[in-house]
Amino acid sequence: MSAAPWTVGRYVVETLAANGIDTVFGIPGVHNLELYRGLELARLRHVLVRHEQNAGFAADGYARATAHPAAAFVISGPGVSNALTALAQAYSDSVPLLLVASSPVRRSLGQRWGVLHELHDQRALAADVTAYAGSARTPEQVRDQLRAAFAALRGHRPRPAYLDIPLDLLAESTVLRPQALPAAPPPLAPDGGALLAAAGLLATAQRPLFIAGGGARAAGAALRTLLEATDGYLVTTVAGKGVVAESHPANLGATLPYRPTQERIAAADVVLAAGTELSETDLYTTTRLPVPGRLIRLDTDPVKLGDHYEADVAVRGDAATGLQILAGDVRARRGWRSGEGDAAAHRSRIEAQLDGPGRSMLAALRALRAALPADGVVFSDMTQIAYLGNFAFGAERPGVWFHPSGYGALGYALPAAIGAKIAQPQRAVVALAGDFGVQFTLQELATAVELDLSVALVVWNNGALGQIRDDMRAAGIAPVGVVARNPDFVALASAYDAGSARVHSAAALTDELRAALDRPGPTLIEVVAADFRDS
Ligand SMILES: Cc1ncc(C[n+]2csc(CCOP(=O)(O)OP(=O)(O)O)c2C)c(N)n1
Ligand SMILES: [Mg+2]
């Protein structure tokens, strides 16, 4: 007896549901109606956002908070092009985000007839910013391409995936039924010979320094053992922030862009970089990080092992597994950190170099830290306070501070925070944005109000595109295009029916944040930088 036919649209949604997706962020249109029929039948939650870019950012926030794939649905054409920035952000930061789009009817594809929402090659646009991009013409291709998409989402290095399905195919019937697709593969076992060579280098190191990226997030225990045995130091990227508690005396924190840390790295005789790209966006400098010591790289991604940071020993394999093996028979020694001093002194040295605005931002970040529980989570935007927060916001565990590091897309914070709050309603969630960048996606306050999401949106208002202004000045360019007339943020939040406050001091920021996290619905807290008091 064969099953009653489903639409392909329903088949797609049921396949998502059968593979751990419980929420879809999106905006419906006439082209993807059949996905919405599927949503209803499969009983998946749909979150209506106010722009397709934000569907992507919200799914990204959901995926970063949970470390599970998240999904967004968009229409053909503008829905896809609007979502591209979010796909690129997720690609650069290794986030598993699935975008399912419709496309125009099959016989029109590639014909340039000028049908509604037409692109010449919609899949090709998405292919540049995803690990897998499919474009199906039959139900069987939908099945196979969903399998390929989930393989990319669940790969050793998770990345976004894309699938488009013509609207007439979405409406077609199929007897296909969802399958549980292969789970994530076990961590890639590190190459034994290379690991032995790494252990040999580490055994002789007098001044070992470890650099941990997002790929080493699960390596906290092994890193602690290695740091304590070898008297060495740890530096993390922003994606690796908190892998070892930042109060640990060996953890110099996410400080790669700072000179004292670069000098410390230059003084190391062995540097072990695990699960990190060592990319320009990790260093925030276009110059290469000087690594005169021997360099060991440990990464699942072979591309990283062959890049411009040439390793003395390159180990392909899972960072946590590799570090555990190295920690298993590490030789204890004393010398470097005991002599040089612990991380607290190093951090103080960096903080002592901050100028006046820097000190205000530091005080605001401490006020934010004080208002949040240990597992409270911050999604930050491209703003000066977040660049400082990448280092100065104290993280005692991984997964509490997220930044759009790789692609650097303005407007990320609020929609991503909304996605995380939907995934984990029990956690305190804050979005931290600048006065200019927040206006890229501020309309998502409406989504948070509608869903009664208790998200605090902190706007660091320095009345300028601050970083760009400072960069222009530093380059000897007369500042132009860096001061924008702002709306009254508090009044605007009220118009959305969100809570709001304007604060001028660190103490008031902590108080208002605590109140915001306690009340239902979102609250915008404008922090006035010009006359901000540090206490
Ligand atoms: C989509 C996008 N467009 C442009 C930029 C370049 N950009 C980076 S920061 C910035 C200004 C942000 O101003 P604001 O949000 O007020 O932050 P501030 O630097 O003042 O703290 C701009 C235009 C970007 N990163 N992303
Ligand atoms: Mg600003």
Side-chain angles (χ1 to χ4, degrees):
M1 193 182 80
S2 64
W6 286 356
T7 61
V8 168
R10 178 174 183 190
Y11 168 70
V12 170
V13 183
E14 298 273 9
T15 301
L16 265 50
N19 286 281
I21 304 275
D22 63 4
T23 305
V24 170
F25 300 90
I27 300 182
V30 287
H31 274 195
N32 67 1
L33 290 177
E34 288 303 329
L35 287 173
Y36 283 76
R37 189 195 305 279
L39 276 172
E40 182 189 4
L41 293 168
R43 303 214 167 94
L44 242 66
R45 175 170 48 177
H46 179 262
V47 175
L48 175 68
V49 291
R50 268 54 176 180
H51 189 288
E52 286 88 354
Q53 175 182 244
N54 305 339
F57 283 156
D60 173 310
Y62 187 110
R64 289 196 207 212
T66 59
H68 288 298
F73 284 177
V74 298
I75 59 153
S76 333
V80 172
S81 49
N82 278 346
L84 286 177
T85 296
L87 284 177
Q89 186 62 63
Y91 185 86
S92 67
D93 286 340
S94 304
V95 176
L97 146 52
L98 174 64
L99 187 73
V100 180
S102 54
S103 63
V105 294
R106 275 167 285 189
R107 57 198 190 84
S108 76
L109 294 175
Q111 304 292 336
R112 301 188 192 261
W113 290 345
V115 299
L116 181 66
H117 304 328
E118 181 174 287
L119 284 166
H120 181 54
D121 188 349
Q122 189 173 293
R123 192 202 74 88
L125 278 186
D128 196 42
V129 287
T130 50
Y132 175 79
S135 186
R137 299 289 178 274
T138 65
E140 290 70 29
Q141 286 180 1
V142 171
R143 176 195 60 204
D144 297 346
Q145 294 181 9
L146 277 169
R147 175 177 287 263
F150 270 86
L153 299 168
R154 294 172 172 169
H156 288 303
R157 181 170 190 182
R159 282 200 139 148
Y162 166 89
L163 175 58
D164 64 40
I165 307 166
L167 69 102
D168 55 328
L169 176 55
L170 279 172
E172 205 170 284
S173 54
T174 178
V175 290
L176 290 175
R177 286 297 177 268
Q179 295 177 320
L181 298 169
L188 188 66
D191 174 69
L195 203 60
L196 212 58
L201 267 189
L202 209 55
T204 59
Q206 296 299 310
R207 296 180 305 284
L209 186 143
F210 300 82
I211 304 177
R217 258 195 304 262
L223 279 167
R224 256 193 322 274
T225 304
L226 286 162
L227 291 165
E228 286 161 15
T230 63
D231 211 22
Y233 289 104
L234 170 70
V235 182
T236 72
T237 66
V238 176
K241 191 171 168 64
V243 57
V244 169
E246 290 192 327
S247 59
H248 189 286
N251 190 353
L252 305 178
T255 55
L256 278 172
Y258 296 87
R259 188 183 292 265
T261 293
Q262 297 191 358
E263 286 169 0
R264 193 61 58 93
I265 292 169
D269 59 352
V270 173
V271 173
L272 194 167
T276 171
E277 292 192 307
L278 294 177
S279 66
E280 182 186 298
T281 53
D282 294 320
L283 311 176
Y284 262 94
T285 151
T286 49
T287 54
R288 202 169 173 280
L289 184 69
V291 188
R294 311 294 292 276
L295 179 62
I296 303 166
R297 296 193 69 176
L298 170 58
D299 211 295
T300 51
D301 185 349
V303 172
K304 294 320 299 173
L305 296 175
D307 72 9
H308 61 296
Y309 283 94
E310 213 176 296
D312 295 285
V313 176
V315 188
R316 172 134 198 251
D318 175 62
T321 314
L323 291 168
Q324 269 155 24
I325 295 169
L326 291 172
D329 61 356
V330 63
R331 184 179 64 79
R333 76 214 69 161
R334 281 283 156 275
W336 197 29
R337 178 153 50 86
S338 313
E340 286 285 329
D342 70 18
H346 187 88
R347 286 160 181 280
S348 305
R349 215 167 310 144
I350 294 174
E351 285 168 11
Q353 289 170 2
L354 295 175
D355 57 9
R359 284 196 296 278
S360 290
M361 291 189 285
L362 184 63
L365 287 161
R366 289 191 173 140
L368 170 57
R369 175 70 280 173
L372 279 177
D375 76 335
V377 52
V378 181
F379 282 83
S380 57
D381 218 289
M382 295 300 285
T383 159
Q384 292 186 305
I385 192 169
Y387 311 144
L388 181 62
N390 283 339
F391 147 56
F393 179 82
E396 290 296 279
R397 58 181 80 185
V400 296
W401 172 271
F402 294 105
H403 187 65
S405 299
Y407 201 54
L410 274 182
Y412 171 79
L414 177 61
I418 286 173
K421 185 69 185 179
I422 286 169
Q424 299 180 326
Q426 75 289 358
R427 288 179 86 181
V429 177
V430 173
L432 175 62
D435 52 299
F436 189 70
V438 74
Q439 296 179 68
F440 277 48
T441 55
L442 186 64
Q443 73 273 30
E444 295 306 330
L445 269 183
T447 306
V449 167
E450 195 164 80
L451 300 179
D452 217 17
L453 297 176
S454 172
V455 170
L457 169 59
V458 176
V459 180
W460 177 254
N461 185 358
N462 56 13
L465 291 69
Q467 186 60 44
I468 314 304
R469 173 200 56 203
D470 293 356
D471 288 347
M472 281 185 182
R473 282 188 185 143
I477 300 167
V480 60
V482 290
V483 176
R485 188 185 157 148
N486 280 328
D488 177 337
F489 287 112
V490 165
L492 195 51
S494 304
Y496 276 110
D497 214 10
S500 59
R502 180 175 289 128
V503 301
H504 301 262
S505 72
L509 175 55
T510 299
D511 288 349
E512 290 295 347
L513 261 168
R514 286 198 176 123
L517 295 171
D518 260 358
R519 82 167 71 102
T523 305
L524 184 154
I525 303 174
E526 179 190 355
V527 188
V528 183
D531 60 357
F532 188 73
R533 292 185 307 282
D534 295 0
S535 56

